[in-house]
Amino acid sequence: MKKLLIYVSTGILLAFSSLSVPGLQETVAEAASVRYAETTTGLNFRTAPNTSGKVLGVLKKGTRVEVLEVVNSNWVKAKYSGRTGYLSIKFLKEVSRSSSSSSSSSSSSSSSSSSSASRSSVADKIISQGQRYNGTKYQFGAKAGQTSTFDCSSFVQFLYKQQGINLPRTSRAQAGVGTTVSQSNLQKGDLIFFKTGSSGKIDHVAIYMGSGKILHTIPKGGVQVSNFSGYWKNTAVLAKRVIR
């Protein structure tokens, strides 16, 4: 059996074996020599190796994952934080086992503490930058990426993108990303979704700041900090954690 080694653009090495079967010639991927990879941008962690797969969460830039299987030239099966899913190979780069944050020598408590500290740091940056736009006018349907005006979801999308976390454009689509958390377990940087209109559908999103405060933008007053109580508490229907 002959082996042919080839490199894809990400630097991840694939080992192939040519198998001869009567009437059929196949090339089958046996394994990936690189066990660990790192994201080069905010990257969706999906349930299937295609863009139709449900998003389990968004891995921020620089996240290290264990590569379990190279599915094809576009996708890898990977493990991160105890969960298995699929990542686009285009946005991964090779890293050595020793540099992986998933090192088997690390204790689970140490890993958890490090992850929480990292998540808190990213959340602080998002909230700090967001508050710089305090008072910026609200515009429904504001263009993605512009900062002269925002609507609720363009504001959230813009801030998270600055930290390498790519989110959809609308609040309803953003609600489909990340891990669901209860209101009693909210942490800084979590997204809270609301149903404020008569349609009965999610139509607003805010960033939880901690200490019972939210950062968002609304028609009256634009970007502002509000108490997560009263009206906002009563219309909140979902919370998601998108910072890993």
Side-chain angles (χ1 to χ4, degrees), residues 41-61:
T41 187
L43 189 58
N44 289 330
F45 192 43
R46 297 182 180 274
T47 58
N50 53 62
T51 55
S52 298
K54 181 181 178 182
V55 177
L56 296 170
V58 182
L59 306 188
K60 66 178 183 178
K61 180 180 179 180

Side-chain angles (χ1 to χ4, degrees), residues 1-225:
M1 182 179 291
K2 295 182 179 180
K3 287 189 175 181
L4 171 65
L5 299 181
I6 63 171
Y7 279 91
V8 294
S9 60
T10 59
I12 296 178
L13 183 63
L14 306 182
F16 287 90
S17 296
S18 296
L19 304 177
S20 295
V21 179
L24 182 65
Q25 187 73 24
E26 296 181 303
T27 302
V28 181
E30 287 190 337
S33 64
V34 178
R35 295 297 304 280
Y36 291 93
E38 184 176 284
T39 58
T40 59
T41 187
L43 189 58
N44 289 330
F45 192 43
R46 297 182 180 274
T47 58
N50 53 62
T51 55
S52 298
K54 181 181 178 182
V55 177
L56 296 170
V58 182
L59 306 188
K60 66 178 183 178
K61 180 180 179 180
T63 299
R64 289 182 173 87
V65 299
E66 182 179 359
V67 177
L68 302 176
E69 176 187 353
V70 178
V71 180
N72 53 43
S73 61
N74 296 314
W75 296 88
V76 297
K77 184 177 182 180
K79 186 176 182 180
Y80 172 71
S81 192
R83 305 185 76 178
T84 299
Y86 297 85
L87 296 166
S88 170
I89 204 169
K90 181 179 179 182
F91 302 106
L92 295 173
K93 68 177 181 180
E94 170 188 348
V95 293
S96 65
R97 173 184 284 270
S98 61
S99 69
S100 172
S101 60
S102 301
S103 172
S104 58
S105 62
S106 298
S107 68
S108 59
S109 60
S110 174
S111 176
S112 176
S113 175
S114 175
S115 177
S116 296
S118 175
R119 185 164 57 239
S120 179
S121 175
V122 172
D124 285 340
K125 291 176 183 178
I126 288 171
I127 292 166
S128 176
Q129 183 176 23
Q131 288 185 287
R132 295 175 195 166
Y133 293 97
N134 210 26
T136 298
K137 291 183 178 180
Y138 176 93
Q139 179 192 1
F140 179 74
K143 184 178 179 181
Q146 74 175 32
T147 57
S148 56
T149 59
F150 297 105
D151 66 13
C152 65
S153 52
S154 75
F155 182 56
V156 166
Q157 183 191 48
F158 171 76
L159 293 177
Y160 282 73
K161 187 172 184 179
Q162 305 315 300
Q163 301 305 318
I165 301 173
N166 294 319
L167 295 174
R169 172 62 185 81
T170 68
S171 59
R172 203 168 301 160
Q174 289 171 0
V177 175
T179 303
T180 301
V181 294
S182 65
Q183 289 189 19
S184 62
N185 192 36
L186 285 170
Q187 295 180 8
K188 288 186 297 183
D190 288 344
L191 298 180
I192 304 175
F193 297 90
F194 306 81
K195 292 181 181 179
T196 65
S198 59
S199 68
K201 297 179 179 179
I202 288 173
D203 55 12
H204 186 64
V205 59
I207 301 167
Y208 187 66
M209 301 175 66
S211 302
K213 303 285 186 181
I214 57 174
L215 177 64
H216 59 162
T217 181
I218 56 177
K220 186 177 181 179
V223 175
Q224 59 193 272
V225 174

